[in-house]
Amino acid sequence: VRVEAFTAALAVVYGSSLLFCFFYLFIAPFEAPVMLALFFMPALLWQKRRIGCLHLALIGAALVWLSWKILGRPAILMLLLPTCQILAIRLTGSVQNRYSRDGSSITVQLSSTQKEQMRKPGQKDSADWWEIIRPEIVAFPERVKDMWTDFTGDAPRRHQGSESVLDLELLKMQNARVMSHALTSIKKRDACFASDVFLKRVERLFWKVQNAWYDQNLETIQALVSDALYEQLKCQVDSQRAMGVRYRHSKMTVYDMRIAQVNCDNSFDVIHVFIRASSADAAIDIKTGETLAANDEGRKFSEYWTLIRRPSAKTLQKPGLIEGSCPNCGAPIVIGQATVCAVCNSFIRSGFYDWVLAKITQACEWEYKEPGLIPDWHSMKSVDADFTLQQIEDRTGVIFWMMRLAERSQSIAPMQRFSTEAFCDLYQSTIVERGYNYMENVALASVSLKGFKIGKHWDSMFVLVIWSGVPTMLDKNNKVIEARRTSQVMRQIYILGRRHGVKTDQKNTLSSAHCPGCGGPLGSAFAVSCSYCNAVLNEGSNAWILERIAVENDKDYLEALARKTACESELEEDNETRSARDVITIMAQILLADGRSIPAEMQLLNKIAQCYDMSETQVNAIIQSLKAGLVYIPAPADNRESWNLLMAAARMALADDEISPTEERELILLAQHLGYSASDVVRAVKAEEKRRFAEQREEQQRIAREKMHAEAMEKAAERDSDQEKDDEDEDQ
């Protein structure tokens, strides 16, 4: 009742302000526009976060004083301010695309489809101005909290369009010597491979994927990407269509594209390409064509695109997958032909012939761990020599998106071919108990293999899946229940199993949504057997299937983490990179251990987040999920993992080459929880500074060598030219 009364009171305030402005323009046609403009500009700057609370108060006081002295109307501010805020919200309405990872509402305005989903039987449409201010009213308590925090100066508000202090060297992650060795290894096996030519193909792939996603026509890229990535993009497009929204991009620009990391083993050559780009997006209502929200300025985003191929593959001297042709025989690829070529019957996405886009990772989610560091990795490789991380990431990704489809459709059918019967029965009973709810704006952050449990008859593995989404509830009439759209961060352990002795099929590494036996497409009827070869899909005799979903304090999971690999000491520290999201989550968990959070203590968290293009919404979502008990990260299992975590925090803290006293206190607090002292923090910072200095020196030496080589080539060309002239003179 109190909430309804408060909402009604605010509606009266805004409605009265609009009515006053309407008559004000008629009564004083010259004075009213001037006053509206004067009061509107501070509201616009505040909404854009260009000015703080104190500045807004000072400007407002000055305008009140001027209106009192000149017009004799000191109360006009209170009458005009609500209308000015509505106009400011309308003009600063921003759209959050798939790059932002923000879990709040997609647009300031709801689409006509969303309004229809929320409208109760017999209810009329709400006024347009009410749709504009409703998000502000719902978020009013948080706005008051932000204003107080801003006023006290504990946490300065971040400019909405501010540039991050992104450190490209920090994002590079891989040692230059290690990368050079890996690229040389590829060059020895493939004499035609050239980094610049490879990056040009990646750029063409980038634009092809962007256009397919914005046009909601993903079938054109299905043959270029893994099944997991295709299902991810397809789920996003299906969610947009369900909400009646589509996106339009403009001013999209690629600022930087470079090879960030190269890893080679007996199974795959893997190249991770760092892409820095920007786009000014707009959200369009599919039914009406109305622009719901738009960004005038391009928002920058940073991603890692992971491409893989087999070590035996050679650089094509003809059109390949990116160009729309079969990389083996050259026949054109038709829509729907994603796995097997209809002409030569080759598995076109197997990596035997061309590079395939395996995944797209946000910069803040980027992490890498040498497979040899995973407990029982070598034990699994001994029983299945073709086992690869890429196949597991693809398989788990497909299962994750099938789970989201099952939630949305309120049916276990999409999961039946990917999980055990016991899991399906348990999940179906859970749906009945908790009612119908699902997640919107789902963002899959990362999928990482953590360990194994190998038995005599059945093998299991533990995969950490980090994702976020906005909970959505439906009532008994299948109408969306209006509530504040707050993002939740989830960390779940997917436990997958299969029969002991089953081998990985190299041809189907990135085709987890297809039959593991014949590679044929699985029908939409969600049958548990393949319609082409009749292979049973949910008994673990062909591929990994989902046994259950747990959290990170699960007993079996902790036991798997406790088992260590014998050869860890042989691996370099560069072989493990922790994601910024992980570091932020662990640090936030430690800072919240006393049950409260001080804004000043979050300074380092915000600094790390800004370095990796993470928004305030994402950091707040992590903190709220920790407070609600939805997220729990177990303590590091050993000294090596603890030290790597402290080093990762020190590396991120030094992103701008300096550490403030507050950030130093946070590092010391983190170290104490990990069992280290303040002197260890100093040692970690010095080690990071030494590493950065060595990398910078190595990079300078590389640039100097390239310059000397270019000068030598230029001199050689000049000598050849002079020699040719001399020969011509002698001939004459």
Side-chain angles (χ1 to χ4, degrees):
V1 176
R2 291 180 179 178
V3 174
E4 293 179 355
F6 175 73
T7 303
L10 284 178
V12 170
V13 170
Y14 281 98
S16 301
S17 177
L18 286 169
L19 187 63
F20 170 78
C21 291
F22 177 76
F23 285 104
Y24 190 27
L25 288 169
F26 276 98
I27 296 172
F30 297 104
E31 174 189 320
V34 175
M35 296 302 296
L36 277 170
L38 287 174
F39 285 100
F40 168 71
M41 287 308 299
L44 180 64
L45 293 175
W46 161 257
Q47 197 67 31
K48 286 187 173 183
R49 300 192 174 188
R50 300 286 179 87
I51 61 175
C53 182
L54 181 60
H55 297 94
L56 180 65
L58 292 175
I59 294 173
L63 290 175
V64 169
W65 183 82
L66 287 174
S67 61
W68 177 39
K69 287 294 184 181
I70 298 174
L71 302 176
R73 303 189 186 99
I76 198 170
L77 172 66
M78 303 303 297
L79 295 170
L80 294 181
L81 188 58
T83 299
C84 292
Q85 187 190 20
I86 293 176
L87 295 174
I89 294 172
R90 167 69 82 175
L91 292 178
T92 58
S94 60
V95 58
Q96 297 163 356
N97 58 21
R98 70 186 181 92
Y99 306 110
S100 68
R101 297 287 182 180
D102 287 348
S104 55
S105 57
I106 289 186
T107 58
V108 172
Q109 279 186 281
L110 297 176
S111 68
S112 56
T113 303
Q114 288 174 307
K115 293 177 184 178
E116 180 64 30
Q117 291 172 350
M118 292 183 178
R119 190 179 303 127
K120 297 178 181 179
Q123 182 181 0
K124 297 181 179 180
D125 291 343
S126 301
D128 181 65
W129 64 270
W130 176 247
E131 294 295 339
I132 296 173
I133 66 173
R134 178 168 53 181
E136 287 293 309
I137 293 176
V138 174
F140 185 77
E142 292 296 328
R143 294 280 288 182
V144 172
K145 181 180 177 181
D146 291 342
M147 290 173 64
W148 174 253
T149 303
D150 180 39
F151 182 76
T152 56
D154 290 331
R157 308 171 83 215
R158 190 187 302 173
H159 185 320
Q160 280 186 340
S162 64
E163 299 291 336
S164 67
V165 291
L166 195 66
D167 186 345
L168 295 181
E169 291 302 319
L170 180 68
L171 288 172
K172 189 174 181 180
M173 295 298 186
Q174 191 175 33
N175 182 277
R177 175 180 54 82
V178 177
M179 181 188 295
S180 177
H181 182 269
L183 289 174
T184 302
S185 174
I186 295 177
K187 186 73 174 178
K188 287 180 179 178
R189 289 181 274 106
D190 179 11
C192 295
F193 176 82
S195 299
D196 55 343
V197 177
F198 172 79
L199 288 176
K200 288 180 180 178
R201 292 194 74 204
V202 174
E203 186 172 5
R204 289 198 296 271
L205 174 63
F206 173 84
W207 288 108
K208 197 165 187 176
V209 172
Q210 302 308 315
N211 292 331
W213 189 85
Y214 281 99
D215 295 340
Q216 298 184 345
N217 186 21
L218 299 177
E219 290 77 10
T220 58
I221 62 168
Q222 187 175 6
L224 313 176
V225 302
S226 66
D227 271 356
L229 181 56
Y230 178 77
E231 292 297 333
Q232 174 180 341
L233 300 178
K234 183 176 181 295
C235 186
Q236 292 172 348
V237 169
D238 290 344
S239 178
Q240 293 169 19
R241 289 172 176 167
M243 293 186 293
V245 176
R246 68 177 179 85
Y247 291 105
R248 182 184 65 225
H249 72 81
S250 63
K251 305 177 184 177
M252 183 173 284
T253 307
V254 178
Y255 293 96
D256 190 21
M257 181 177 290
R258 64 176 68 186
I259 295 177
Q261 186 161 333
V262 184
N263 304 105
C264 302
D265 57 26
N266 295 330
S267 300
F268 284 105
D269 291 332
V270 184
I271 297 182
H272 308 275
V273 179
F274 172 70
I275 299 177
R276 179 77 164 155
S278 70
S279 176
D281 287 359
I284 312 298
D285 191 312
I286 293 178
K287 286 186 177 180
T288 65
E290 178 188 2
T291 300
L292 302 173
N295 295 331
D296 295 329
E297 300 177 358
R299 289 192 173 186
K300 289 189 176 182
F301 58 91
S302 305
E303 296 177 331
Y304 285 91
W305 288 42
T306 301
L307 294 97
I308 69 173
R309 74 172 186 182
R310 296 289 176 181
S312 59
K314 307 295 182 183
T315 297
L316 297 174
Q317 303 301 315
K318 59 183 180 181
L321 283 177
I322 298 175
E323 292 76 22
S325 301
C326 171
N328 184 37
C329 68
I333 297 175
V334 298
I335 292 178
Q337 178 188 329
T339 305
V340 181
C341 176
V343 177
C344 64
N345 293 323
S346 61
F347 285 74
I348 57 180
R349 288 190 303 177
S350 61
F352 281 107
Y353 310 103
D354 199 1
W355 295 97
V356 181
L357 180 60
K359 61 180 179 178
I360 299 175
T361 309
Q362 304 298 308
C364 63
E365 317 291 357
W366 169 252
E367 64 178 5
Y368 177 77
K369 187 171 186 176
E370 186 69 26
L373 292 173
I374 300 174
D376 289 332
W377 169 263
H378 295 284
S379 299
M380 174 55 68
K381 291 289 284 187
S382 65
V383 298
D384 182 6
D386 294 327
F387 181 87
T388 63
L389 282 177
Q390 289 75 22
Q391 197 267 343
I392 297 308
E393 290 175 350
D394 187 71
R395 183 73 177 176
T396 308
V398 169
I399 292 175
F400 171 83
W401 291 110
M402 290 298 108
M403 280 287 295
R404 307 285 76 79
L405 180 59
E407 285 181 354
R408 193 70 184 252
S409 62
Q410 200 180 2
S411 171
I412 194 59
M415 286 297 299
Q416 287 179 338
R417 59 178 58 151
F418 297 102
S419 58
T420 63
E421 292 184 2
F423 175 84
C424 291
D425 293 340
L426 178 62
Y427 184 80
Q428 191 67 43
S429 62
T430 304
I431 292 178
V432 175
E433 291 176 0
R434 72 180 182 184
Y436 185 21
N437 64 79
Y438 60 90
M439 290 286 196
E440 279 188 347
N441 299 352
V442 175
L444 177 59
S446 63
V447 175
S448 52
L449 178 61
K450 293 298 183 180
F452 301 91
K453 184 179 180 181
I454 301 175
K456 293 183 179 180
H457 306 289
W458 188 264
D459 298 334
S460 299
M461 64 178 175
F462 303 86
V463 185
L464 173 61
V465 178
I466 304 175
W467 61 287
S468 63
V470 179
T472 304
M473 294 288 296
L474 273 70
D475 60 17
K476 60 182 180 181
N477 297 318
N478 281 337
K479 295 297 181 181
V480 176
I481 300 174
E482 290 193 53
R484 189 182 178 200
R485 296 164 57 82
T486 305
S487 177
Q488 288 184 358
V489 178
M490 308 293 290
R491 296 173 64 97
Q492 297 175 325
I493 304 300
Y494 279 41
I495 302 174
L496 278 64
R498 72 177 183 185
R499 297 183 186 277
H500 184 74
V502 176
K503 307 297 182 183
T504 299
D505 189 349
Q506 292 185 354
K507 300 189 299 294
N508 294 322
T509 298
L510 301 180
S511 302
S512 298
H514 292 70
C515 175
C518 66
L522 299 177
S524 59
F526 301 119
V528 295
S529 61
C530 176
S531 58
Y532 295 91
C533 65
N534 295 320
V536 180
L537 305 173
N538 67 339
E539 62 177 11
S541 58
N542 293 289
W544 295 93
I545 57 176
L546 181 64
E547 296 180 40
R548 62 188 179 94
I549 298 176
V551 292
E552 288 182 89
N553 58 359
D554 180 77
K555 180 182 177 182
D556 293 338
Y557 174 65
L558 295 177
E559 289 178 356
L561 290 182
R563 292 191 291 271
K564 289 298 165 184
T565 306
C567 65
E568 280 189 4
S569 58
E570 302 174 4
L571 298 172
E572 300 181 10
E573 288 187 3
D574 264 354
N575 289 329
E576 183 173 9
T577 299
R578 198 136 197 174
S579 71
R581 178 185 285 272
D582 255 13
V583 174
I584 289 175
T585 305
I586 294 173
M587 292 185 67
Q589 181 172 285
I590 291 173
L591 294 173
L592 293 171
D594 57 359
R596 62 189 183 90
S597 61
I598 302 174
E601 292 181 347
M602 300 298 172
Q603 182 176 339
L604 181 55
L605 296 186
N606 289 325
K607 176 180 178 178
I608 296 173
Q610 194 171 7
C611 286
Y612 286 86
D613 286 344
M614 290 181 68
S615 67
E616 290 174 296
T617 304
Q618 291 173 280
V619 177
N620 290 334
I622 291 174
I623 294 173
Q624 294 303 320
S625 296
L626 285 168
K627 289 181 177 179
L630 298 175
V631 173
Y632 169 78
I633 300 182
D638 55 21
N639 292 336
R640 185 182 186 280
E641 188 175 350
S642 299
W643 180 252
N644 285 341
L645 175 60
L646 184 60
M647 284 295 298
R651 175 177 298 188
M652 295 174 186
L654 280 169
D656 56 357
D657 295 324
E658 63 178 1
I659 299 179
S660 68
T662 303
E663 294 167 354
E664 186 178 359
R665 286 196 299 271
E666 290 183 56
L667 284 176
I668 293 175
L669 181 60
L670 173 64
Q672 290 173 347
H673 279 78
L674 296 175
Y676 294 103
S677 63
S679 59
D680 291 318
V681 173
V682 175
R683 183 162 61 94
V685 171
K686 288 184 177 180
E688 175 57 23
E689 290 175 341
K690 182 179 179 181
R691 185 197 66 81
R692 289 165 67 91
F693 176 76
E695 283 196 355
Q696 290 173 0
R697 184 177 59 183
E698 190 170 351
E699 181 68 14
Q700 291 172 355
Q701 292 174 351
R702 183 188 64 80
I703 294 174
R705 287 194 300 268
E706 291 180 354
K707 184 178 180 181
M708 292 176 60
H709 178 71
E711 291 176 351
M713 294 294 292
E714 185 177 350
K715 290 180 179 179
E718 290 178 357
R719 286 196 302 267
D720 293 341
S721 177
D722 293 340
Q723 184 65 38
E724 289 178 0
K725 289 181 180 179
D726 293 340
D727 293 341
E728 290 177 359
D729 292 340
E730 290 178 0
D731 293 340
Q732 291 177 356

